[in-house]
Each structure stands twice: as C-alpha cells, then as structure tokens.
Amino acid sequence: NTAFRYHWLVWQLTGIIQPRYFPTYWYRLYAVLVNILVTLLFPLTFVINVFFSKNLQQLCENLIITLSDITANLKFLNVFLVRKELQRIKIIFEYLDKRLNTEEEYRQLKRAIRTAQLSFCIFWAISTTGTSLSVLMVLYSEDRSLLFPAWYGLDWQNNDLAYAVCFTYQLVALVVQAIQNVANDSYPPAYLIILTSHMRSLELRVRSVGLSPADNKQNMFLNEREQQLDLKKFNDCIEDFIQINRLYDMIQKILSKACLAQFICTALVQCVAGLHILYLLDESGDYGAQILSLIFFLAVTMEVFIICYFGHYMSAQSLALIDAFYECGWISQTLAFRRNLIITLMRTQRYAIIYAGAYIPVDLSTFLLLMKYAYSTFTLLLRFK
C-alpha cells in the first residue's frame, strides 16, 4: 500500500477520501466547496466558451482544452464512485504482502513499488511543467490574456479588478485540477504494476511446489510427510490465486470506465489537434496555440500508451502464472493434490486482461490500433488540404 501513499494524500486533499482524524462535518463542507468551485464550475467555463468561438481556429483550441478537462473530471468522478473498492483493495494488498516469504519476492515487490511511485512523480513533473509554462506565456504575452481561453461573463480585458479575479480563480483551479490529474493519470498504471508484482510472487511460489531446493528439479520420490507439506503449500497458493482474482476483478471495475473515457478523449483530441495543426497553422501564424495543441496531442497519447503498456505487461504475467501451475512438481504428489491442480487449471483458462468499458482490451495492440486510426485521419486531412 505504500505505492499509493501519494494518491491517497491527493484524494484526501481534493475531497474524496476523508482523513481518519478530521471532523466529518468540516471535511464534507470543504469537499463540497472545492468540488463545486473547481470540479464543476471550472470545466463549465470551458464548455460555455466553446459556443462563443468566432472562427474555426478558436473552436479547435477550445475543443481541445474542453475535451481534455472534461475527461479528467470524469476520471476524478470515477475515483469517487469506486472509493469503497479502493478500501477493499488495501485489505487484499495487506494479505498478499504477508504471503511473501523469499528475498526475491520482497526484492521484486519493492522494485514494483518504486516504479509505481516513480510514475506518480513523472506525472507530477509533467503537470508542474505544463502549469508553469501556462503562467509564463501569460506573463510574457503582449496582450492581456488568461491561462486558458474560458468564459466568465466579465469584461476582464478592460477591467483590472475583473481580470485579477478571473486570473486568480483560474490559477487556483488549475493548480487543484493539476493535482487531481496527477492522481487520475498515475493510479491506473500503479495498480496494474502492483497486481503484476503479486502475480509474479505467486508464480515463484507455485513453481517451487514439489521441487528440490538443492537443484530446483522435481523430486520423483516423496514420502508421505513431504507430500502433505507440498499439499498444504499448494493449497495456500490456491488461496493466494483466489485473492489475486478478486483483486483483478476489483481493479477491472475501477479502471474500466476511466480507461474508456481516456480512449475516447484521446481519439477526439487527436482528430481536433490534427485539424488545428494541419489546416490552421499557415492561416493564423499563432505558433503558441499550435504548440499548445501539440502538447495536448502528445499528453493524451502518452497517457494511453502508459496504461496500455502496463496492461499488456500484466496480461503477459498472468499467462506466466498459468504456465507455473502446469510446470509445478505434481507428478509424485497425492490424488488430492492432483485433483486440486485440475480444478485450478480449469479456472486458469481465462487469463487476466483489463477491458475499457468491458469491450476494448487495454494492451499494446489497442494502442497500435489507436495510432493507426490517428495516422489514417491525418492522411485523410492532408489529402483534403
């Protein structure tokens, strides 16, 4: 659970998970206030601004920002809806952590924890850089402008007080949303990383059943006591396998809608950004807007790649775990052992894979398919240009 320490801190700060020693009434008031002012009203200013677009260039710029922000808020809402499952996952992690019994298992789990925490830090650095660049663009802009084009119903271009209010609100809301997005984007791969690590630990335990510790080969002549010890060890592995399947089902539930929203957002942003870059670059000469569109394009593409990469890696580890049951030392075991093995093998015929919206597999093949669609769209736009 230490792999998700930063995520839980963000969810506490943004009003999703109440801290243990914080008064309930004041925390609920704080959560409602933050989420009304930021999660609800902030993207609403982008949505309204879309309808005030004066030309195709402004429409593309507003759509890119609006689609990205709405998707981020939908993923944040999904975390709120599955917060009880997140608590149950913590309990299963605690159980699986106690099952580690070799130095290699501890070592690879610690490596997975570092990777999960590193992914959070990378998204934090990207978000901080993006927010800082937005502020710098406003500071060095010749004309008075906001961090992002939005509608506030105030004449902030000609009124100093109105501009100060709009800019301060947008800056505070942007910082809060940036913090939300860091957790939104990094918790799906983090859960897949730790799930994959526990699958690997179970694979190591299953493969060692019935093998001689000295030469790591099957012991063809076991006495009754050794057979009973192997049976108990194998039954413990079956219990671990059941818990990992429960963990997989919960992670599937919390990631399904979030991944589907990300896939849809990526496809739409890629199309709009392609239209913006290919058609409007020569006409407008606003290279700052073009760079912003390119940044959004790369950001949504990278988000999909990361989740697809770790989803693919988890599925590959699931197949390796299935192979481990076939390759354990079962030949010289008792009838009860072999009966339990057959039942387990029947269950392992369905390997683990995360689906977005229960239909789209979250793996590298889906990412390649998404890139092919993006390339086809760009090719079509170039022919019409």
Side-chain angles (χ1 to χ4, degrees), residues 75-361:
K75 291 190 290 185
F76 183 73
L77 176 62
N78 180 70
V79 176
F80 174 77
L81 296 177
V82 300
R83 62 191 185 282
K84 293 183 179 179
E85 281 74 16
L86 296 175
Q87 296 284 359
R88 297 190 186 102
I89 288 176
K90 291 180 67 175
I91 298 175
I92 298 180
F93 278 146
E94 291 175 358
Y95 166 82
L96 293 175
D97 287 348
K98 295 177 182 178
R99 292 288 298 132
L100 304 179
N101 51 28
T102 65
E103 185 63 29
E104 184 178 359
E105 293 177 22
Y106 277 105
R107 186 166 53 251
Q108 62 91 21
L109 180 57
K110 290 179 181 178
R111 185 165 56 248
I113 291 173
R114 288 194 298 268
T115 303
Q117 293 178 340
L118 179 61
S119 68
F120 181 92
C121 294
I122 290 175
F123 279 109
W124 180 272
I126 294 174
S127 180
T128 303
T129 302
T131 304
S132 302
L133 288 175
S134 299
V135 174
L136 290 176
M137 289 177 63
V138 172
L139 293 178
Y140 288 97
S141 175
E142 297 180 357
D143 301 325
R144 177 178 288 182
S145 61
L146 296 174
L147 297 172
F148 292 104
W151 179 88
Y152 291 103
L154 300 174
D155 186 16
W156 53 266
Q157 292 179 328
N158 302 312
N159 188 296
D160 294 338
L161 179 61
Y163 177 73
V165 171
C166 294
F167 180 82
T168 303
Y169 168 76
Q170 196 170 67
L171 178 61
V172 173
L174 180 62
V175 171
V176 175
Q177 288 241 301
I179 296 174
Q180 290 178 349
N181 293 341
V182 171
N184 290 342
D185 297 334
S186 61
Y187 86 85
Y191 275 103
L192 292 178
I193 290 168
I194 303 302
L195 173 60
T196 304
S197 176
H198 279 298
M199 285 183 175
R200 172 59 180 166
S201 298
L202 179 57
E203 177 195 352
L204 295 175
R205 293 196 291 273
V206 172
R207 290 184 185 276
S208 66
V209 175
L211 301 184
S212 174
D215 54 7
N216 202 33
K217 294 182 179 179
Q218 287 199 36
N219 192 342
M220 304 302 296
F221 303 98
L222 298 175
N223 56 43
E224 184 176 351
R225 180 177 177 277
E226 291 174 331
Q227 288 177 336
Q228 291 301 320
L229 289 175
D230 284 342
L231 177 60
K232 182 181 182 306
K233 185 177 180 180
F234 186 71
N235 287 340
D236 289 341
C237 290
I238 293 177
E239 180 62 30
D240 296 343
F241 184 62
I242 293 173
Q243 294 299 325
I244 284 180
N245 284 329
R246 287 184 57 201
L247 182 61
Y248 159 73
D249 291 336
M250 290 181 181
I251 292 178
Q252 165 68 42
K253 182 177 180 180
I254 67 174
L255 297 188
S256 176
K257 295 178 181 178
C259 292
L260 179 62
Q262 186 61 60
F263 283 158
I264 295 175
C265 172
T266 299
L268 293 176
V269 169
Q270 285 179 340
C271 291
V272 177
L275 176 65
H276 191 208
I277 295 172
L278 296 177
Y279 278 88
L280 305 176
L281 177 60
D282 299 332
E283 298 177 5
S284 64
D286 187 0
Y287 293 99
Q290 311 302 327
I291 293 175
L292 185 64
S293 296
L294 183 60
I295 290 175
F296 272 97
F297 178 89
L298 295 176
V300 295
T301 303
M302 183 60 65
E303 289 174 4
V304 170
F305 171 75
I306 291 175
I307 187 64
C308 287
Y309 174 81
F310 286 110
H312 183 86
Y313 186 54
M314 186 272 296
S315 298
Q317 181 57 58
S318 175
L319 292 173
L321 178 57
I322 294 174
D323 293 338
F325 280 101
Y326 282 95
E327 297 173 3
C328 69
W330 57 269
I331 296 178
S332 57
Q333 301 295 340
T334 62
L335 180 62
F337 183 102
R338 284 177 281 178
R339 184 185 298 114
N340 292 345
L341 176 61
I342 291 174
I343 295 174
T344 305
L345 291 177
M346 294 174 63
R347 171 62 184 82
T348 59
Q349 299 308 305
R350 182 175 66 89
Y351 73 99
I353 183 171
I354 299 296
Y355 286 94
Y359 295 104
I360 306 173

